[in-house]
Amino acid sequence: PLRPPLEAIIKRMWRFRSNGQYFGVTQYLNAFTPDEIRVAEQCIDEALVEQRELYHDAEQAVKAATEELAAAEECVNALTEHTEAHTTAVQAVRLAVEKT
């Protein structure tokens, strides 16, 4: 991954008076040690890995739910066909009974 050179890392301190009025910002170059920067990068990398894993888990859950929905739709379609066939058979029996 692309990272800025260590000397490009800046720490900023915003200054406020006791009444809360802003009166400036001080920028400190090389404010963080290489160890502090490495620890921060490690924390960021770990957070990215965790987010990637959560995304993957969510993606798998969506895939499983989609497959379950497709199976449920097949069941509904089969039940609909069965119901229509049953209704047709009942109507045929009624017609036969009425003719007799």
Side-chain angles (χ1 to χ4, degrees), residues 1-6 9 37 41 44-45 48:
L2 298 175
R3 295 187 176 136
L6 294 180
I9 306 286
I37 293 170
E41 288 174 343
I44 292 167
D45 289 344
L48 288 173

Side-chain angles (χ1 to χ4, degrees), residues 33 47 49 89 91 93:
T33 67
V49 167
Q91 289 173 346
V93 168

Side-chain angles (χ1 to χ4, degrees), residues 26-47:
T26 302
Q27 296 187 125
Y28 300 94
L29 294 174
N30 301 321
F32 300 99
T33 67
D35 287 338
E36 290 173 319
I37 293 170
R38 274 190 280 285
V39 167
E41 288 174 343
Q42 183 179 3
C43 289
I44 292 167
D45 289 344
E46 289 171 2

Side-chain angles (χ1 to χ4, degrees), residues 8-9 13 19 22-23 25-26 30 32 46-48 50-51 53-54 57-58 60 65 67 76 87 90 93 95 99:
I9 306 286
M13 287 292 271
N19 66 0
Y22 168 79
F23 70 97
V25 64
T26 302
N30 301 321
F32 300 99
E46 289 171 2
L48 288 173
E50 183 179 334
Q51 288 300 314
E53 289 171 355
L54 289 172
D57 292 347
Q60 293 299 314
E67 290 171 358
V76 167
T87 302
V90 167
V93 168
L95 284 174
K99 288 183 181 179

Side-chain angles (χ1 to χ4, degrees), residues 82-92:
H82 177 75
T83 302
E84 289 171 354
H86 178 72
T87 302
T88 302
V90 167
Q91 289 173 346

